[in-house]
Amino acid sequence: MDVLKAQDPARIGAHTLLARLGAGGMGQVYLGRSPGGRLVAIKVIRDEIVDHPEALTRFRREVETVRAVRSAYTANLIDASLDTAPYWLATEYVPGPTLGKAVAVGGPLPAETCRGLLAALAEGLAAVHAQRVTHRDLKPQNVILAAQGPQLIDFGIARSAAQTALTEAGFAPGTPGYTAPEVLLRNDVGPAADVFALGATLAHAATGRPPFGPGEAAGVSYRAVHEPVDLQGVETGLAALLGSCVAKEPADRPGLGELIAWCGVRSALVEDPVYAGLAELAEAVPSTPAASFRTPAAAPVPLAPPAYPPLGPHDLPTAPPAHGYGYTPTQTVRPASAGGRRRKSWLIAGATVLAVAAGVVAAFTLLPGTEGGGGKGADGASGRGATSAAPTSAGGDESKLQPPAYVEQTNPSRDFWTADPQSQHGEGACNLPMEERSEQFEASVAAAGSDAPYTSGKGRIGLRLKAAVTTPYYVAVAVKSPHAIDSDTGKPFEGGLLDNVDLGYTSKPVAVGTEWVYLTYPDDFRQIVLGKKTGDAIPVANDPGDWTVLFLHAQAQRKYATIDCRGFVSK
């Protein structure tokens, strides 16, 4: 942690800057304090790269990734500014040394501590992968040894399954010595590449040496592809475990669930005396700006609502610290739904032992937001499990509400409708209960121009209230395909194995009364990302299977709750 310099601003947004945490590839990272006293890590994009063709796109993707990847092992987004320079994002500050710094100061870690750390980080990666995001740059410098447990940081080049790689000529994602052979040779980035990086990271922790030796990047990368990892002196059992993680072929590496089981953890990592001692290496946080000059008193800054929702206690930021301390922000994929779902996601098949609470979004198809279970989003967005006001016969200020222009995804959509194989009339059921009860709401899904079940072509979606209400009641409809859709082809990704945790294609919110209102799919539906239309709804024939239709009580662009769930089978 360094003192502020004369050229550093006194504030970023509404946050007071306290110190420098370090510098990343895209900008400077500061320690800041929110108006309410919360410590934050703020990454500010460098002025000289703002005009780079891909810089802002990459940074926006990083913001969306940080918003979406949520677990006890990752840092959460608190605020961001993406409209005008300076562009920045703020995440909760996590005190603690990086694993790289801890090893540099104290030497290799004992085998038992390494096992506990390996299991904890594997659990964290599983939460990330459950959102269909790969970290792509796991290394000792991107692991913070926090008092509450290790934190994965810096998702700046993280990538979801639905995202196109943003690369420059000759660029291979990751860090030499921790980047998997298939990434170096074919830019084939998948969950197995993160397992390789995890094994290499723990090899460094166990030996204190670079996993594939020191030297120039080309030489280190060559050894990663062709030579064994350095595990000399490591306990036999741990060496075998780490060796399996860094197998040259992705298929030969263990799944994360299998890896966790092999570690055989019997107690919490924070109870390990070695780990506890390392976590205590966190630097003291200055209560006032740690500057080499006296910062003049700044005029009070009017507080605007944060651009992104406040996050929970595990929503922590990461920063590539120059001195190995603190945390810097990163980038995002979403967990498969629970509740009796029969589908499987190949990305989390090995991690069924985990209870994943994180949510994430593919940048071109999803807009992640608040954490499920009652969290609130940018403008009070309801999360899954939260409720909003039901229609009422009372007027008041709410009667003046205007319909939002659109609804924008704030959480992973884990709602899935499954057809009843015994039904002759297209019946089925959803796996999750509704977020809001509405006894007066009615809906229907049928083929356009008839009352037959919707299976192909155009569909007619109807909605109405059984009784009149005086408070305006706006409903948007979301239609989601069974599988994640490649935005380039309008069809499922190759193999069709990725469940769709996107909200799907949405209609404009419409005022609902006692008269039936009808919408036509795909004509009245589109995809909204960052407040803009990014694509039209695809034909249902593009993805045969069980489609889900969600009816959303819309109060604001990012504040809505499910009130009904239907579906149909595309053939």
Side-chain angles (χ1 to χ4, degrees), residues 87-151:
Y87 303 103
W88 55 271
L89 64 84
T91 55
E92 185 177 353
Y93 172 71
V94 184
T98 65
L99 177 59
K101 181 65 176 182
V103 173
V105 171
L109 304 183
E112 199 59 29
T113 302
C114 285
R115 283 194 183 87
L117 185 58
L118 177 62
L121 291 174
E123 189 173 12
L125 273 181
V128 173
H129 290 177
Q131 315 309 315
R132 296 205 306 275
V133 167
T134 50
H135 187 287
R136 303 212 303 170
D137 198 20
L138 179 59
K139 57 187 176 183
Q141 290 74 26
N142 283 343
V143 175
I144 295 289
L145 304 182
Q148 70 269 35
Q151 304 288 317

Side-chain angles (χ1 to χ4, degrees), residues 374-402:
K376 288 198 173 184
D379 40 353
S382 298
R384 237 257 165 236
T387 59
S388 55
T392 173
S393 58
D397 291 340
E398 290 185 358
S399 64
K400 300 178 182 179
L401 290 176
Q402 296 298 314

